[in-house]
Amino acid sequence: MKLIKTLFFFFSIALLGCAESENPSFSEADLVLIPQPKSLELHSGSFEITRETRFVIANDSLKELTGIINDLLSNSAGFSLDVASEETANNIQLNINSELEEEAYTLDVTAEKVLLEANSKLGFVYGLETIRQLLPKEVESKTQVSDLALFIPNVNIDDAPQYSYRGSHLDVSRHFFGKEYIKKHLDRMAFLKLNTFHFHLVDDQGWRIEIKKYPKLTEVGAYRVDQEDKHWNARTKNDPEEKGTYGGFYTQEDIKEIVAYAQEKGIRVIPEIEMPAHVMSAIAAYPWLSCTDEPIAVPSGGVWPITDIYCPGKETTFEFLEDVLTEVMALFPGEYIHAGGDEATRTNWETCPSCQKLMREEGLADTGELQSYFMKRIEKFLSEHNRTLIGWDEILEGGLPQKATVMSWRGFQGGWEATKAGHDVIMTPVSHMYFDYYQGSPDHEPVAFNAFLPLEKVYEFSPVVDSMSVEQKKHVLGGQANLWSEYIPTEAHSEYMLFPRLTAVAEVLWSPKEKIDWQNYTHRVRKMMQRFDVMEINYAKSAFAVQQESAIDLETGEITVALHSEFPDTEIRYVLGEAELTPEAALYQTPLKIDSTTRVKAAVFENGKQMGDMMNKFFDFHQAVAKPVTYKFEYSASYPSTGETALVDVLRGSKYFKDGRWQGWINNPAVVTIDLQELKEVQQVVVGTLEEQGTGIYFPEELKVEVSQDGTNFQQVAETTRDYQTNPGAKIENFKLDFKKQQAQYLRVTIKPLSETPKGGGAWLFVDEILVN
């Protein structure tokens, strides 16, 4: 009998060992967590979620949070977990730990149970989102996945954020996005442990929030004349009598739903009600809000300078604003109200009798102090209602409102000055946090604002400036990514600009400084993209794109082409000529040398799959390469490219006019003479030009070619003209001028700019190469 019991004991142990071994173990490379936790220990083994798993919660208030996991399981696995108040086997416990800070949590996972402890709803939300990221990516599927194994690695995590303000901003004024997209964005913010949604509801091009006391704000101000076929900054002024049809707004019920949804996700919503500028939509609805009382239309595109602004000399202006803010505060229960304060051109205030009278009565020296008076009065009203005003860093000018928080966007300096004065600051500098900027080559990217903000630059962001004192640093609440929507008409485009850059923001604002590691992050974000595929996020693959840096040796005519991608440790494959680029193409290792006409195609590959766009660069060696060039009219000092040989160096420009490859002229034609240094047979000239109407760059309206054998006597051999056409984006066009084959040593090419733009005035002319064939 004793022998049988002994055998049974060892048999049971063996069974336990087999059962335990069924749960797989994970390596550190398998842990794809963004942002990185404060501390993490990985152990062997894992916990499996099955139909028998239960949530065990400390109290009923935590029950709704189980939906963070259960909603996923219901879709992908076909079941959800029951909730119990007492411990059972195979459970996920949510315990309250009063010793933890508000946003902190601890997570302990063993084969038997998952223990999540926190001291607040926020801590539990973040812990559950971490559990979500530890589960396989297939858990994000909207449809049921067969044989889905739901293992969570055995880990010990102790986590808390570095900064208390971790924000994401959406501009819904320039282009309107519906309620469901906003909720989808809030989901993704929670996934990344971002806790503040800055809701930009008001701007010149659209008023997006229902104000019941002033119905025309949405009846008139929420709609503009449809000019979506034109570049944002090339749209013409609208007639106030013409009815707007493009736009939309949120009802107060919509706003309540969005705010409640955000609260479930642990996210506060900060509304922005712009003032005194960026309010043409309000003035279009109620012209008496301006200094002139003149009717205006809601603009369809860019406006600069912004002179149609609120009149502070009228008491009715403040009555209006207080009425609006009263309704806004009833909808948004949080501490902060953003009141804008940026980019006001105050010329109307200088001539407005009401404004001038107020300035005399208040002893204000100039309109800068008048704007300070304006913002201080709004801050006082908000303070009386237990709210804190946030303003863009322009509110520093003329004197800062007493209790205002500053959002520093024009760099870090405004934030530095505000902290020095004892004010709280949110850093959101254009250099790192403006997501309407290009993240890759404009040749492959959708239209964006003409500046670059690649993923690595975002990851370099820190809201604290080294030169700040200890006391100043205490006033830095955190940072925020801003997505302005002038160039973003669709939800898919919005997602593209946000992801993956928003993951970098999340990490640098949450994770401790010692955990910020670009190399490590790139490995995780590349795997996170696989989860984004399942989540159906239209993220950008720009960081995979192959970028090239080219230089020409003017003595030998040889070009050196260096290839790289933003992600380190990538496999770049390339071909020369018209061959197909495949995973078996040559592996790039050292810069390429090119001395004759050819095409270079290259892309990043992973596991035999092409990642991101293919670089496709054509190098055309023509008869004028590296030949002497003279100009009748000097090119602009602002756009010199590489100087006098820039138009005959084979190296072409991109759609980004600041890429250093474009020569620009304003108010003069480009008249360029090329010396081939000997008689050559020629029959064609090709002129490479750029157009981006929003920045004032237009295709030429006339081009002509003259040839000469002696450099003195020129004969015109070709001419072409082009009529103006509306163009909403950046475009490159090669103008070909063919003529009868003949001998020539000198060619004079005249390129005349567009004589008058749709908005009036002259046009920039941009040229990158003149090819002689």
Side-chain angles (χ1 to χ4, degrees):
M1 188 70 179
K2 186 176 181 182
L3 177 61
I4 293 173
K5 285 183 177 180
T6 303
L7 289 171
F8 180 77
F9 173 77
F10 284 112
F11 180 67
S12 300
I13 293 297
L15 282 177
L16 284 170
C18 289
E20 197 168 295
S21 67
E22 289 176 2
N23 284 20
S25 292
F26 294 82
S27 68
E28 288 190 7
D30 296 320
L31 302 183
V32 185
L33 293 176
I34 297 177
Q36 277 271 58
K38 187 169 69 172
S39 71
L40 181 151
E41 294 179 5
L42 175 65
H43 305 287
S44 63
S46 55
F47 175 88
E48 183 180 11
I49 293 179
T50 68
R51 292 177 182 269
E52 286 69 44
T53 304
R54 298 286 182 270
F55 273 109
V56 178
I57 60 176
N59 58 57
D60 288 343
S61 68
L62 301 177
K63 188 173 182 178
E64 66 175 359
L65 299 183
T66 62
I68 293 172
I69 303 299
N70 269 339
D71 291 348
L72 297 172
L73 295 177
S74 180
N75 291 331
S76 62
F79 66 87
S80 57
L81 307 183
D82 290 337
V83 178
S85 57
E86 295 182 1
E87 186 171 346
T88 63
N90 188 255
N91 62 76
I92 300 173
Q93 292 184 27
L94 275 57
N95 287 356
I96 294 173
N97 183 340
S98 59
E99 295 182 3
L100 293 173
E101 296 178 357
E102 184 184 21
E103 292 191 287
Y105 69 93
T106 61
L107 179 65
D108 295 306
V109 182
T110 66
E112 291 76 34
K113 70 177 180 181
V114 175
L115 176 60
L116 171 61
E117 292 191 337
N119 188 25
S120 71
K121 177 181 177 178
L122 289 173
F124 285 113
V125 168
Y126 301 144
L128 287 163
E129 292 290 354
T130 295
I131 292 172
R132 175 183 179 178
Q133 291 193 17
L134 289 169
L135 283 165
K137 63 182 182 295
E138 290 79 12
V139 78
E140 308 287 348
S141 175
K142 303 291 190 298
T143 57
Q144 193 165 332
V145 179
S146 59
D147 302 321
L148 178 57
L150 298 166
F151 290 102
I152 303 172
N154 286 351
V155 292
N156 296 116
I157 292 175
D158 181 7
D159 204 7
Q162 185 183 12
Y163 294 100
S164 63
Y165 189 109
R166 306 178 303 281
S168 174
H169 155 289
L170 288 185
D171 166 15
V172 296
S173 175
R174 275 52 177 266
H175 286 95
F176 178 71
F177 300 109
K179 175 179 63 179
E180 293 307 313
Y181 177 70
I182 301 301
K183 291 164 72 173
K184 189 186 296 185
H185 182 64
L186 292 167
D187 285 337
R188 293 160 181 177
M189 286 180 62
F191 178 80
L192 296 171
K193 301 182 176 66
L194 296 168
N195 68 349
T196 306
F197 175 50
H198 179 167
F199 207 0
H200 188 81
L201 291 162
V202 172
D203 218 299
D204 291 311
Q205 295 81 10
W207 184 286
R208 304 299 180 202
I209 178 172
E210 178 189 23
I211 302 297
K212 293 186 182 296
K213 191 166 185 177
Y214 298 97
K216 286 186 179 180
L217 288 173
T218 46
E219 291 171 6
V220 175
Y223 297 93
R224 62 182 186 241
V225 175
D226 189 342
Q227 295 192 45
E228 294 299 301
D229 62 326
K230 300 176 184 176
H231 190 286
W232 179 260
N233 289 322
R235 297 176 186 181
T236 52
K237 190 174 181 179
N238 295 324
D239 183 342
E241 297 299 317
E242 187 174 357
K243 184 175 176 59
T245 58
Y246 187 91
F249 66 94
Y250 306 99
T251 66
Q252 292 200 359
E253 291 306 309
D254 290 336
I255 295 292
K256 289 174 185 176
E257 185 179 335
I258 289 168
V259 170
Y261 193 83
Q263 288 176 331
E264 289 177 13
K265 304 290 179 181
I267 297 170
R268 59 185 168 187
V269 183
I270 297 176
E272 182 175 3
I273 308 299
E274 276 273 14
M275 60 187 80
H278 290 287
V279 293
M280 292 176 70
S281 55
I283 294 172
Y286 298 102
W288 50 264
L289 290 167
S290 72
C291 291
T292 65
D293 292 347
E294 293 176 3
I296 64 169
V298 178
S300 295
V303 178
W304 195 261
I306 303 170
T307 56
D308 287 306
I309 65 179
Y310 288 142
C311 176
K314 299 176 183 177
E315 190 61 24
T316 50
T317 300
F318 290 102
E319 290 172 3
F320 166 83
L321 289 171
E322 289 179 4
D323 289 340
V324 168
L325 291 171
T326 297
E327 291 195 34
V328 168
M329 288 186 289
L331 296 168
F332 296 91
E335 173 190 357
Y336 293 109
I337 302 290
H338 201 304
D342 62 313
E343 296 184 328
T345 300
R346 302 181 290 261
T347 49
N348 286 347
W349 293 2
E350 293 169 3
T351 58
C352 171
S354 299
C355 289
Q356 292 300 308
K357 180 174 180 288
L358 178 64
M359 289 172 64
R360 289 192 299 271
E361 291 173 352
E362 296 292 331
L364 305 175
D366 53 33
T367 56
E369 289 191 8
L370 180 56
Q371 181 164 341
S372 179
Y373 165 88
F374 187 115
M375 299 308 292
K376 286 176 179 177
R377 186 162 170 179
I378 295 300
E379 190 274 334
K380 183 175 182 291
F381 174 76
L382 292 174
S383 184
E384 288 170 352
H385 290 79
N386 298 314
R387 303 303 177 90
T388 299
L389 179 145
I390 298 179
W392 301 108
D393 56 49
E394 282 95 333
I395 68 172
L396 287 161
E397 299 165 10
L400 196 58
Q402 186 178 1
K403 298 179 182 177
T405 295
V406 173
M407 194 166 271
S408 187
W409 73 277
R410 294 179 296 178
F412 293 88
Q413 185 60 30
W416 194 98
E417 292 172 8
T419 58
K420 185 69 173 175
H423 287 261
D424 287 343
V425 164
I426 300 147
M427 289 293 194
T428 177
V430 292
S431 56
H432 295 77
M433 292 287 103
Y434 268 47
F435 282 14
D436 53 329
Y437 289 7
Y438 283 107
Q439 52 195 316
S441 169
D443 290 347
H444 299 288
E445 296 288 313
V447 176
F449 186 84
N450 264 307
F452 272 107
L453 181 56
L455 184 63
E456 186 173 9
K457 181 76 171 179
V458 178
Y459 198 76
E460 292 171 358
F461 172 68
S462 172
V464 166
V465 179
D466 289 340
S467 60
M468 286 178 173
S469 67
V470 173
E471 193 59 33
Q472 282 179 278
K473 290 176 181 178
K474 291 177 183 177
H475 284 289
V476 179
L477 303 181
Q480 176 177 287
N482 295 332
L483 183 57
W484 303 100
S485 68
E486 287 93 333
Y487 304 101
I488 302 172
T490 66
E491 294 174 4
H493 192 171
S494 176
E495 289 181 4
Y496 185 91
M497 304 304 281
L498 288 165
F499 295 93
R501 289 187 289 190
L502 204 58
T503 66
V505 175
E507 180 143 308
V508 298
L509 292 176
W510 177 280
S511 304
K513 195 171 184 178
E514 62 270 18
K515 291 276 187 157
I516 305 302
D517 183 310
W518 168 247
Q519 191 92 8
N520 180 280
Y521 164 78
T522 60
H523 291 299
R524 284 179 288 117
V525 77
R526 282 150 76 171
K527 290 186 176 180
M528 183 61 78
M529 287 175 175
Q530 298 171 17
R531 184 176 290 260
F532 288 167
D533 287 330
V534 185
M535 295 171 74
E536 300 177 3
I537 296 176
N538 183 42
Y539 63 92
K541 300 180 180 69
S542 312
F544 285 111
V546 173
Q547 303 166 33
Q548 61 89 24
E549 294 178 5
S550 307
I552 186 170
D553 185 326
L554 293 173
E555 292 186 7
T556 65
E558 185 179 62
I559 292 174
T560 302
V561 183
L563 306 178
H564 64 94
S565 74
E566 190 179 352
F567 282 145
D569 306 324
T570 52
E571 174 190 312
I572 297 176
R573 301 274 174 178
Y574 74 95
V575 294
L576 301 180
E578 300 305 323
E580 183 182 357
L581 181 64
T582 69
E584 290 73 41
L587 179 67
Y588 173 79
Q589 293 176 313
T590 57
L592 311 177
K593 303 290 186 180
I594 298 172
D595 59 7
S596 60
T597 296
T598 192
R599 186 180 301 278
V600 179
K601 293 188 275 190
V604 169
F605 286 84
E606 283 190 357
N607 301 318
K609 179 183 176 183
Q610 181 178 320
M611 308 297 292
D613 293 316
M614 176 183 72
M615 186 204 82
N616 188 340
K617 200 74 175 177
F618 187 62
F619 296 90
D620 192 349
F621 283 75
H622 51 95
Q623 295 201 73
V625 173
K627 300 303 183 184
V629 175
T630 56
Y631 298 84
K632 181 177 180 180
F633 301 106
E634 191 70 14
Y635 42 80
S636 168
S638 299
Y639 301 102
S641 186
T642 54
E644 291 186 356
T645 56
L647 301 185
V648 289
D649 66 359
V650 184
L651 307 179
R652 306 300 299 274
S654 70
K655 291 180 181 178
Y656 181 49
F657 73 92
K658 297 178 183 176
D659 69 4
R661 295 293 185 198
W662 293 100
Q663 276 189 348
W665 285 262
I666 185 74
N667 299 324
N668 280 317
V671 182
V672 182
T673 302
I674 303 169
D675 180 0
L676 299 179
Q677 297 182 306
E678 60 180 318
L679 284 175
K680 289 189 176 183
E681 203 169 68
V682 294
Q683 60 181 358
Q684 184 189 64
V685 167
V686 181
V687 179
T689 65
L690 173 71
E691 180 169 77
E692 188 174 283
Q693 295 179 0
T695 50
I697 303 168
Y698 290 82
F699 286 138
E701 65 179 13
E702 182 182 347
L703 302 93
K704 67 178 181 179
V705 176
E706 301 167 278
V707 298
S708 171
Q709 293 189 358
D710 59 10
T712 302
N713 300 298
F714 283 85
Q715 176 188 359
Q716 182 173 317
V717 292
E719 183 178 19
T720 188
T721 59
R722 183 187 187 277
D723 293 331
Y724 164 79
Q725 299 170 20
T726 298
N727 176 18
K731 186 178 180 181
I732 293 172
E733 187 165 319
N734 293 316
F735 287 85
K736 295 181 179 179
L737 292 94
D738 296 303
F739 48 90
K740 184 179 178 181
K741 187 183 294 185
Q742 56 194 282
Q743 294 282 318
Q745 180 175 337
Y746 300 91
L747 295 98
R748 185 162 64 204
V749 182
T750 301
I751 313 160
K752 293 184 178 180
L754 189 67
S755 55
E756 188 172 355
T757 69
K759 285 190 170 184
W764 277 98
L765 176 69
F766 270 52
V767 183
D768 68 341
E769 189 83 359
I770 297 176
L771 299 88
V772 178
N773 300 312

